[in-house]
Amino acid sequence: MNRTVYNFRSYTDAMKANSLFSRNGIRAVYGKNTSPKEGCIHTLAITSDAKETEKILRENGIHYSVASGGV
């Protein structure tokens, strides 16, 4: 499967997403990137089906953007 990396605006959103993924049997790896232009960006990398993970995020009202991979 392809790897998908999601960006989140806050640590809280990233941890909520991680918890939801875990409850659905999806393993995610947390990361934090900083850039002078954008500030802190919290990321989760997954290797599961991107359609399924994006559906979980949308259904739970978690704001995200796709950094790489995805649908």
Side-chain angles (χ1 to χ4, degrees), residues 5 7 22 30:
V5 178
N7 289 336
S22 181
Y30 172 77

Side-chain angles (χ1 to χ4, degrees), residues 31-42:
K32 178 179 171 185
N33 297 320
T34 57
S35 100
K37 193 175 187 180
E38 297 177 23
C40 283
I41 299 171
H42 303 274

Side-chain angles (χ1 to χ4, degrees), residues 32-56:
K32 178 179 171 185
N33 297 320
T34 57
S35 100
K37 193 175 187 180
E38 297 177 23
C40 283
I41 299 171
H42 303 274
T43 64
L44 288 177
I46 57 107
T47 55
S48 296
D49 179 30
K51 287 182 182 180
E52 180 184 351
T53 54
E54 290 183 26
K55 180 181 176 197
I56 291 168

Side-chain angles (χ1 to χ4, degrees), residues 6-28 30 42-44 46 53 55-64:
Y6 295 106
N7 289 336
F8 300 90
R9 291 184 245 175
S10 70
Y11 175 80
T12 302
D13 282 347
M15 291 303 101
K16 285 180 184 176
N18 194 29
S19 178
L20 289 165
F21 291 160
S22 181
R23 280 187 253 156
N24 285 278
I26 300 167
R27 184 174 178 270
Y30 172 77
H42 303 274
T43 64
L44 288 177
I46 57 107
T53 54
K55 180 181 176 197
I56 291 168
L57 294 172
R58 280 192 309 274
E59 287 177 348
N60 288 279
I62 298 176
H63 300 283
Y64 69 94

